[in-house]
Amino acid sequence: MSATGESVRPAPGKGQILAVLGLLAAVAILYGYHDGLPFWLGALTGVVAVLGYLVCFDSPRGVWQWLPAGVGFCAAFLFAWQFLLVVLG
């Protein structure tokens, strides 16, 4: 803990890694399936992972947290794009 009361976390935590992996899994599922139960399981996985991403990456500190935050941001964008293409298309 520093003098300001903030703890410095140089390495990404388990929640941060799981959020990024969840987003990547959702993107992979939605890439292969466009209907049925696999699609909805991928969509549910993606929504939960996006919420986890928003909670875990509220204020990344250091380059080792910014890297997974950037990957997660790109994966969240891909998830939203794939989901909207299927639902609106």
Side-chain angles (χ1 to χ4, degrees):
M1 207 175 251
S2 67
T4 61
E6 293 184 19
S7 61
V8 177
R9 296 173 286 171
K14 288 181 189 176
Q16 292 173 331
I17 298 298
L18 288 175
V20 172
L21 290 177
L23 282 167
L24 293 175
V27 168
I29 292 170
L30 292 184
Y31 180 76
Y33 299 99
H34 297 288
D35 58 349
L37 184 61
F39 169 78
W40 290 109
L41 289 176
L44 181 63
T45 302
V47 168
V48 169
V50 166
L51 293 175
Y53 177 82
L54 293 175
V55 169
C56 291
F57 287 104
D58 60 345
S59 59
R61 295 180 187 97
V63 75
W64 293 113
Q65 288 188 356
W66 278 104
L67 287 173
V71 171
F73 180 78
C74 293
F77 178 77
L78 285 173
F79 165 73
W81 180 258
Q82 287 180 337
F83 182 79
L84 290 175
L85 281 177
V86 172
V87 171
L88 299 176

